[in-house]
Amino acid sequence: ELADCEVIGPQGSDPIAPPAIRADHSRILCVSSQVTGGRGSVCFGGFSCVLPGEGGSAFRLVDSTLQFYGHATATRGGPGGDYVLSPTGTGGPGGTGLHLVSSTALFAGVTPLGGQGGTGPSGPGRPGVGWIADANSNVTFASQPGPSCAGTGTPAPGATLTLTLRAGPGDLPALLL
């Protein structure tokens, strides 16, 4: 479970940066959080590489379930690596916001976005895509921010506070205190 936090993947040193969150056979709940893939590796014009690296995915899920709820939150692929110290060359491609393999994802009030392409003397790299899913995966987008909680009463020692948790069919209701 992630609530009110920011997760940024590490910068890449290979052709593709690592994802911010990789999950195998897992169940993930994110609420009001920012998740961004790692920046692609920088290419120094033939001295250390041939091309700058691709940004990492925000999420890479295998046989897993993700529920992501929030207001003004984001899941975004990492930016592509930059191409520097060369007269030509484009930046690396941006990363994918969500990459699913045999997995299920529900986004309520959140949209996965691709990362920006890196910079280069011949132009930027291509932007990443919002999400990629294989034929065994399912992605659902809901316009509402998902479950809600309302309280009545005064939160004070000895006082009564009534909490009402509302969730739709198929939602995972959770109260994080």
Side-chain angles (χ1 to χ4, degrees):
E1 295 178 7
L2 300 173
D4 295 318
C5 65
E6 182 176 18
V7 179
I8 301 173
Q11 179 164 336
S13 58
D14 292 324
I16 300 176
I21 296 176
R22 179 185 169 91
D24 295 316
H25 300 87
S26 300
R27 185 176 180 99
I28 301 169
L29 171 64
C30 289
V31 179
S32 300
S33 296
Q34 308 281 332
V35 181
T36 305
R39 173 176 282 284
S41 59
V42 175
C43 182
F44 291 98
F47 296 109
S48 64
C49 64
V50 177
L51 297 171
E54 181 176 334
S57 297
F59 289 95
R60 174 127 170 45
L61 307 178
V62 178
D63 292 318
S64 296
T65 299
L66 168 66
Q67 291 184 316
F68 202 129
Y69 302 100
H71 299 279
T73 61
T75 177
R76 180 183 294 273
D82 296 330
Y83 205 115
V84 295
L85 302 179
S86 175
T88 61
T90 59
T96 302
L98 172 69
H99 188 162
L100 296 177
V101 178
S102 299
S103 296
T104 301
L106 167 67
F107 287 90
V110 182
T111 301
L113 303 171
Q116 294 179 314
T119 61
S122 297
R126 67 168 171 71
V129 297
W131 56 280
I132 296 172
D134 69 1
N136 297 317
S137 295
N138 183 30
V139 180
T140 303
F141 296 99
S143 60
Q144 298 301 315
S148 65
C149 181
T152 56
T154 303
T160 300
L161 179 64
T162 303
L163 297 177
T164 303
L165 181 62
R166 294 198 170 106
D171 283 348
L172 174 65
L175 180 60
L176 305 174
L177 298 175

